[in-house]
Amino acid sequence: MSSAGAVDLSVKIGALRLRNPILAASGTFGYGLEFSHLVDLNRLGGFVTKGLSREPIEGAPAPRLYPTASGMLNAVGLQNVGVRAFVAEKLPVLRKFDTAVIANVFGYTLEDYVEVIRVLEDAEGLAGYELNISCPNVKKGGMQFGSDPTCVAEVVSAARKAAAKRPLWVKLSPLVTDIGLIARSAEEAGVDALTVANTYPAMALDFRSGKSCLGNPTGGLSGPAIKPITLKLVWETKKAVKTPIIGLGGIEAVEDVLEYLAVGASAVQVGTASFADPRASQRLVEDLTKVLFEAKLFTLSEIRDKFVTENG
Ligand SMILES: Cc1cc2nc3c(=O)[nH]c(=O)nc-3n(C[C@H](O)[C@H](O)[C@H](O)COP(=O)(O)O)c2cc1C
């Protein structure tokens, strides 16, 4: 092998083969199209869309983003165009690209999740679904779907039945007592992959005015500050299940990608890093290719699970 271009970065996530293990994360990459003049979407392993709901959602009041030490808070309020507008207006353009488009799906009831998937099932051009279960379950007093193994089993089983055509990934909430328990519940309900994890509930305020720095009282923390915590969650999930894991949280550099792979992730997603550098995901594909070429490791297999093999 004589050039970096010949390095094989392809990975399999269940039945789905990706060109490489780097995807852009939900909510940080719009519907992909907003980035297509800056990033060569065809170079990515894929990307996950902004969360899609049954009806359009206007979202939270400004400010929606607030920088914190080594991280960022957001309270976007799950703003999105709604699943029908996504299918009518965004998907036809996305079909022109040769990249895996994963639709991120959320709802406030089981029926919401099922209905969003039902609409997407009739459309062409998607590689799979990712369920965001860090949402309040209105029929259970607002408790997050993702915080209770029984609720997780219910929402995943319902989504699994609706998602007959395509792989189903579930994005776990990091704020749980035992992530292994939640992961097993999702595995038994038939998911194809687990995305670990979402943002951490957090807050920032101005003590003089007594006001939140966001339009909402609280938000979700992301970025480098969360990487060590999420890395541990990926390892714990790996020890609990056989299902492939997609790791994300604070990835900025190629070393971060390799650490996630070493603790058991099969692929990764890049979120907050795209705010500082919209080309972050493509740059990481290029850096990963270079690192593997220079190290004379022509596949990822020598790095994947290395920490798990060494430490159990
Ligand atoms: C502004 C913003 C919006 C987000 N919107 C969503 C969303 O709609 N659905 C979802 O599952 N995750 C959403 N996330 C979470 C990210 O996909 C990711 O899980 C999290 O930010 C941690 O990764 P990072 O540290 O690389 O950003 C959002 C994150 C940010 C920063």
Side-chain angles (χ1 to χ4, degrees):
M1 219 166 293
S2 57
S3 82
V7 176
D8 178 16
L9 293 184
S10 67
V11 289
K12 269 190 91 187
I13 313 287
L16 182 65
R17 181 167 285 283
L18 302 178
R19 177 179 295 120
N20 62 61
I22 315 266
L23 298 102
S26 178
T28 65
F29 208 68
Y31 302 98
L33 301 170
E34 298 86 339
F35 282 73
S36 62
H37 64 294
L38 297 165
V39 176
D40 182 356
L41 299 182
N42 299 345
R43 296 285 305 278
L44 303 182
F47 73 88
V48 188
T49 69
K50 175 80 197 128
L52 300 167
S53 53
R54 215 164 158 161
E55 304 299 334
I57 293 182
E58 272 193 23
R64 291 173 162 190
L65 302 180
Y66 185 74
T68 57
S70 300
M72 185 173 89
L73 276 176
N74 89 83
V76 173
L78 294 167
Q79 178 190 10
N80 78 101
V81 296
V83 67
R84 287 182 181 80
F86 171 76
V87 168
E89 293 158 23
K90 313 286 180 190
L91 255 187
V93 193
L94 282 174
R95 273 185 219 120
K96 296 183 188 135
F97 296 95
D98 177 21
T99 195
V101 181
I102 311 288
N104 183 281
V105 170
F106 74 94
Y108 300 106
T109 63
L110 285 188
E111 295 75 28
D112 287 346
Y113 282 94
V114 170
E115 176 62 11
V116 174
I117 293 177
R118 203 193 54 71
V119 174
L120 295 172
E121 280 281 280
D122 291 338
E124 293 303 318
L126 289 170
Y129 310 115
E130 179 182 76
L131 296 191
N132 173 4
I133 56 171
S134 302
C135 297
N137 181 342
V138 293
K139 292 197 178 152
K140 295 254 165 87
M143 188 181 77
Q144 272 192 16
F145 283 93
S147 59
D148 172 69
T150 316
C151 272
V152 171
E154 275 172 17
V155 70
V156 175
S157 302
R160 177 75 285 171
K161 279 193 207 103
K165 269 197 201 164
R166 300 187 174 116
L168 178 67
W169 301 357
V170 172
K171 183 169 183 178
L172 302 185
S173 164
L175 202 72
V176 293
T177 318
D178 181 351
I179 198 148
L181 196 67
I182 303 282
R184 275 196 294 276
S185 194
E187 181 171 78
E188 281 158 21
V191 290
D192 296 290
L194 293 162
T195 308
V196 181
N198 217 313
T199 53
Y200 295 71
M203 65 195 295
L205 60 118
D206 177 348
F207 69 86
R208 292 179 193 82
S209 64
K211 292 201 170 116
S212 170
C213 298
L214 294 165
N216 281 351
T218 64
L221 182 65
S222 63
I226 71 170
K227 196 196 86 179
I229 323 176
T230 308
L231 208 52
K232 177 173 170 280
L233 292 180
V234 170
W235 182 43
E236 285 173 357
T237 307
K238 178 70 184 178
K239 289 190 284 182
V241 295
K242 297 252 178 301
T243 303
I245 298 165
I246 294 135
L248 82 160
I251 292 176
E252 286 190 327
V254 67
E255 290 78 9
D256 302 323
V257 174
L258 296 168
E259 287 171 28
Y260 271 102
L261 299 180
V263 293
S266 300
V268 297
Q269 293 178 13
V270 180
T272 302
S274 297
F275 282 79
D277 172 11
R279 289 190 76 256
S281 44
Q282 184 177 340
R283 173 180 48 80
L284 286 168
V285 173
E286 288 156 8
D287 290 353
L288 187 60
T289 311
K290 209 164 143 230
V291 163
L292 293 182
F293 181 71
E294 284 170 4
K296 301 277 175 272
L297 300 173
F298 293 111
T299 71
L300 290 170
S301 58
E302 294 188 44
I303 287 152
R304 200 175 297 124
D305 297 345
K306 204 167 170 66
F307 184 87
V308 185
T309 315
E310 297 285 326
N311 298 274

